Amino acid sequence: MNGQGIHWTALAVFVFFFALVTIMGFVAARWQRDPDSAPGDHGKHLDEWGLGGRRFGAWITWFLVGGDFYTAYTVIAVPALVYAVGAYGFFALPYTILVYPVVFAIMPRLWQKARAAGHVTAADVVYGRYNSRPLELAVAVTGVVATMPYIALQLVGMEVVIKALGLTGEFPLAAAFVILALYTYSAGLRAPALIAFVKDLMIYIVVLVAVVLVPMKLGGYASVFQTAQADFAAKGGATGLLLKPSQMLPYATLALGSALAAFMYPHTLTGIFAAKSADTIRKNAVFLPAYTVLLGLIALLGYMAHAAKLTVATPNDVVPALFGALFPAWFAGFAFAAIAIGALVPAAVMSIGASNLFTRNFWKAYVNPGISHEGEAKVAKIVSLVVKFGALVFILFIPTQYALDLQLLGGVWILQIFPAVVFGLFWKRFTAGPLLAGWLVGLATGTGLAFADGIKPVHAFVVGGDSYAVYTGLFALLVNIVVVLLAQPFVRGRPAISAT
Amino acid sequence: MRLLLLLPFVGLLWVPFYNRELPALFGFPFFYWYQLAWVFVTALLTWLVYRSEHARNVVEDEEAVR
């Protein structure tokens, strides 16, 4: 599969699977439908389009949440980082382990509040709790802004595999995205939920084959680790199979901060709100770690690339290059299709999550408060097209680095809504003003530090001559929470709309 | 029982404890297999908490949705 030109066998396999999920995407509109609804009513309520009717049981939720959490970009970027720096890139593993106890403790409660009051977004829940339009807007805007570059990164993932197939130009990417936009428009959340089954099955096959066969071809895992070790030793710098002492604190804080941020994003929350019961979410917190095993193995592909003696133009090409070099063309095509479809699922859920936010917390709040359920669904469908088109324009006309930078900042920003979204679920004393002040200060702190560092995720604090580097987002969250706690005693809040 | 959910945080955020190569397992340095092992341990701990809370949660869920 090396060399220039189009790889026809791989491309044929790729196109076959892409066509398969496209058909599934359109068929999905009829899937998991409420048997009691009249035939013409379907899709006329935002709950139906934007949350799949809130009837997804444990299995579907598992695939959907896993499918939109572990994205195409993950499959490309995590091995790329591990390939480039070694152990430090592995922070994705503790991150995606720690996220599930957090989900278990917090998300069933959030689901209960949302279900009881018919809330569709986190900002809805916040408005219901604090009766504050500004705080609702803060949560909603942060969600939309943080999600946009995330969608763009899914396109980066897709771009990488399309390039590996030998296709050039921007047309294939645009075509894939138009297809995605159309079936998301017609089927809503049901499309990615159904496609997630295929995506995950394909990714599991690819990864299991890779982690068994690749080390066999490369002389076993011990040899894979040793070659990587030797390469890192030759390369020098902050790379290696183990963390440098200065990397340990960044490693831990990145893992913790990312775990707290993960389920603040609108797309992950959409998966939560679409669950049919709070218990569905608890069960998922138990079983979702199965995905993390997969992620750990995917990360090791970065070391396998060292063992395979690959040379790549950029680390992002590591995974496609590995499959291209070690597998027959048809399997490489299958793997690339798995990754590209792995971009479709989260991109669809992200655009739906962002549309739900826009519709509920901007359009309904400020433009048309009396909007009907059918009107909401219409607005959300149109916004989902705009959001995806925006991401496409972004990736076609603006350097990829900007998307990466914005995604990094997005992580810092989304973490700042944590107190607003979570505190009210457990404690009654908090009110909107202090939470809004904390959000603002946290946002300013995180953004300021990130820019001062040249858009780096980690900031070094010098205390008594020693340097301590921590994840900027987590530090900003700490500042945020301190502001909330300090301001709260001085403020009397307005009562909540919904009981408790 | 909920305190069990804190164990993964201790186990994974105390990085100096596991930032070492030995003992290796199936060719994996300790750093790697230790963290992968926490996937299973965390799932097990979460399941234990799930099981112990189940009866109480069912009641709470019904009240919340009503």
Side-chain angles (χ1 to χ4, degrees):
Chain A
M1 274 236 7
N2 291 312
Q4 298 301 308
I6 296 175
H7 306 288
W8 291 105
T9 314
L11 183 62
V13 176
F14 181 90
V15 169
F16 171 79
F17 281 98
F18 206 87
L20 177 75
V21 297
T22 302
I23 295 165
M24 287 180 71
F26 284 107
V27 169
R30 299 164 177 279
W31 179 60
Q32 285 278 318
R33 195 182 267 195
D34 183 355
D36 299 331
S37 76
D41 283 353
H42 191 72
K44 290 189 177 170
H45 192 300
L46 188 57
D47 273 12
E48 290 296 325
W49 182 85
L51 292 180
R54 300 191 198 241
R55 270 196 320 281
F56 292 160
W59 274 106
I60 302 173
T61 302
W62 190 83
F63 279 104
L64 180 63
V65 173
D68 74 20
F69 187 45
Y70 300 93
T71 68
Y73 189 68
T74 319
V75 177
I76 296 294
V78 172
L81 191 61
V82 168
Y83 171 81
V85 302
Y88 193 50
F90 224 67
F91 86 86
L93 194 71
Y95 149 38
T96 53
I97 296 173
L98 294 179
V99 74
Y100 298 114
V102 175
V103 167
F104 185 91
I106 295 171
M107 293 303 151
R109 191 72 74 101
L110 190 71
W111 182 92
Q112 288 169 354
K113 304 282 179 200
R115 185 50 173 266
H119 296 318
V120 179
T121 67
D124 281 351
V125 177
V126 166
Y127 180 67
R129 175 72 182 78
Y130 297 108
N131 191 13
S132 160
R133 285 286 180 209
L135 192 62
E136 174 198 25
L137 189 66
V139 170
V141 168
T142 312
V144 173
V145 171
T147 310
M148 291 294 288
Y150 221 142
I151 302 176
L153 285 195
Q154 300 313 312
L155 284 164
V156 172
M158 218 190 267
E159 219 174 14
V160 169
V161 292
I162 288 175
K163 193 176 76 184
L165 285 167
L167 296 178
T168 51
E170 281 143 2
F171 175 75
L173 186 66
F177 230 52
V178 168
I179 294 171
L180 163 74
L182 291 178
Y183 66 64
T184 309
Y185 181 89
S186 84
L189 192 63
R190 288 183 172 86
L194 190 59
I195 293 171
F197 284 98
V198 179
K199 174 222 158 185
D200 283 353
L201 202 63
M202 291 175 75
I203 295 251
Y204 266 100
I205 291 171
V206 167
V207 173
L208 289 179
V209 168
V211 299
V212 173
L213 286 189
V214 176
M216 274 167 66
K217 292 190 183 195
L218 301 175
Y221 273 102
S223 148
V224 166
F225 280 107
Q226 273 160 17
T227 339
Q229 173 83 303
D231 281 6
F232 287 133
K235 190 172 160 189
T239 63
L241 282 192
L242 295 179
L243 297 169
K244 308 284 177 233
S246 65
Q247 287 179 319
M248 290 196 224
L249 196 56
Y251 188 86
T253 51
L254 271 169
L256 179 62
S258 308
L260 296 177
F263 277 75
M264 294 295 118
Y265 279 101
H267 59 283
T268 42
L269 282 176
T270 299
I272 295 292
F273 289 136
K276 97 180 157 192
S277 73
D279 209 51
T280 301
I281 298 162
R282 291 189 200 100
K283 275 184 202 148
N284 266 282
V286 175
F287 293 109
L288 272 168
Y291 271 103
T292 299
V293 177
L294 196 67
L295 181 75
L297 298 173
I298 289 172
L300 292 178
L301 294 177
Y303 290 154
M304 293 177 200
H306 281 287
K309 303 283 174 217
L310 292 180
T311 45
V312 288
T314 75
N316 271 354
D317 292 336
V318 154
V319 170
L322 191 67
F323 286 120
L326 296 181
F327 289 110
W330 67 269
F331 190 77
F334 180 80
F336 296 166
I339 295 170
I341 295 164
L344 296 179
V345 171
V349 185
M350 285 167 193
S351 74
I352 290 168
S355 314
N356 288 348
L357 279 171
F358 180 87
T359 306
R360 296 281 300 189
N361 310 111
F362 181 76
W363 195 265
K364 187 177 181 354
Y366 299 101
V367 180
N368 182 6
I371 192 168
S372 66
H373 289 306
E374 190 177 347
E376 282 188 346
K378 258 186 199 154
V379 172
K381 287 167 90 166
I382 292 165
V383 173
S384 83
L385 292 180
V386 175
V387 165
K388 276 193 284 276
F389 187 70
L392 184 63
V393 168
F394 196 99
I395 218 68
L396 291 184
F397 298 107
I398 294 171
T400 308
Q401 189 55 43
Y402 286 7
L404 294 169
D405 288 349
L406 268 176
Q407 148 73 3
L408 194 154
L409 287 170
V412 172
W413 294 336
I414 201 76
L415 200 46
Q416 305 315 316
I417 69 170
F418 188 90
V421 173
V422 174
F423 285 8
L425 301 174
F426 298 94
W427 301 290
K428 289 182 178 161
R429 55 179 291 211
F430 293 100
T431 51
L435 288 167
L436 197 61
W439 171 81
L440 202 62
V441 175
L443 215 59
T445 307
T447 312
L449 288 178
F451 270 102
D453 295 333
I455 320 285
K456 292 279 184 304
V458 170
H459 183 79
F461 294 91
V462 178
V463 182
D466 292 325
S467 178
Y468 298 93
V470 298
Y471 174 41
T472 308
L474 193 67
F475 176 76
L477 176 64
L478 199 67
V479 174
N480 177 339
I481 291 173
V482 168
V483 168
V484 174
L485 293 178
L486 288 179
Q488 190 56 58
F490 300 101
V491 185
R492 286 177 58 105
R494 285 195 278 167
I497 294 177
S498 61
T500 61
Chain B
M1 284 300 276
R2 285 228 152 188
L3 292 177
L4 289 182
L5 295 180
L6 292 176
L7 291 178
F9 291 86
V10 178
L12 286 164
L13 295 179
W14 186 24
V15 183
F17 175 74
Y18 61 81
N19 191 35
R20 66 189 79 230
E21 277 191 46
L22 296 173
L25 185 71
F26 307 123
F28 283 61
F30 185 69
F31 181 81
Y32 298 90
W33 70 257
Y34 172 85
Q35 291 184 78
L36 277 168
W38 268 105
V39 176
F40 301 97
V41 175
T42 306
L44 179 71
L45 293 172
T46 314
W47 178 72
L48 288 173
V49 177
Y50 173 86
R51 211 184 48 167
S52 78
E53 289 187 352
H54 188 67
R56 185 156 35 106
N57 284 334
V58 169
V59 177
E60 188 197 297
D61 290 351
E62 279 176 6
E63 282 171 1
V65 176
R66 192 170 296 143

